[in-house]
Amino acid sequence: MTTSSAPEPVPVPVPIRVLLPGDQEVVAHLWSRRQAPDGWRYEVGLPAYRNGPGDSVEPAEYRVWVRAPEHVRPVGGVSYDDVPTEYLEQPTVVQQALGPRRPSGWVLAKTGGRGPGRGVVHAVDCEEAPAGAPVLTLDRALDAAQHPGTRLCSLCGAAAELDPVLKRFDHGFGGED
């Protein structure tokens, strides 16, 4: 048994005024619009000509994304409600409360002294992390942290993040403190 579905409606362009360089203005077709982090972009089809077969010239359309409202103006009496519009994904309440995520990984800053394992483990975005140091995975950061003479940075939170894993989350759950 096959089911037929209605074909997707083809967007019908609506007229919009496009401001061109040199203070020129033309009426073009508005095909779609997209919200961007720094404003809106409108996909417009500008009227043009192209060479056809032989010596013929045919009407054509040149499509381009332009900034709104800098490069477009509405045409009086035209509704733009049905223009396909793509909105930015809005952050959830949790994302707004937590803010942007930190980059993942850790780096080892070598300190002076003799012997292996002398250093400080930092989060990659820590102000004290050495520039250009290789990024460590969780397992490599834990291995480095277990060496005598290596400590975890408390400024960036590496200590708060890695200590519970090193101590197997025993702290506060009746285990050894």
Side-chain angles (χ1 to χ4, degrees):
M1 179 177 181
T2 60
T3 59
S4 65
S5 61
E8 283 282 320
V10 176
V12 177
V14 294
I16 192 161
R17 295 187 188 284
V18 178
L19 308 175
L20 298 175
D23 296 326
Q24 298 178 62
E25 184 178 294
V26 296
V27 176
H29 292 137
L30 175 59
W31 288 96
S32 64
R33 52 193 173 183
R34 175 185 305 151
Q35 187 180 22
D38 63 342
W40 283 90
R41 304 290 185 277
Y42 281 33
E43 182 186 23
V44 297
L46 298 166
Y49 289 104
R50 69 172 164 225
N51 294 330
D55 248 356
S56 67
V57 177
E58 11 181 86
E61 183 178 74
Y62 174 72
R63 287 198 189 179
V64 63
W65 287 93
V66 296
R67 292 180 181 271
E70 296 96 308
H71 301 126
V72 291
R73 298 287 183 268
V75 172
V78 175
S79 171
Y80 296 98
D81 293 342
D82 293 331
V83 174
T85 303
E86 183 182 326
Y87 294 96
L88 279 178
E89 186 176 307
Q90 296 299 316
T92 65
V93 174
V94 172
Q95 290 169 331
Q96 288 176 353
L98 294 178
R101 293 185 65 172
R102 247 185 46 207
S104 61
W106 293 270
V107 295
L108 178 62
K110 299 282 186 179
T111 59
R114 303 187 116 186
R118 301 256 181 222
V120 180
V121 176
H122 298 277
V124 290
D125 60 345
C126 180
E127 293 176 8
E128 301 294 320
V135 177
L136 305 174
T137 63
L138 174 63
D139 289 336
R140 298 285 308 260
L142 292 171
D143 288 344
Q146 290 178 339
H147 287 277
T150 299
R151 64 180 182 83
L152 301 173
C153 178
S154 58
L155 176 68
C156 65
E161 294 172 2
L162 297 176
D163 259 345
V165 180
L166 286 169
K167 296 178 180 175
R168 294 188 172 83
F169 299 97
D170 289 340
H171 184 74
F173 293 102
E176 293 180 23
D177 291 329

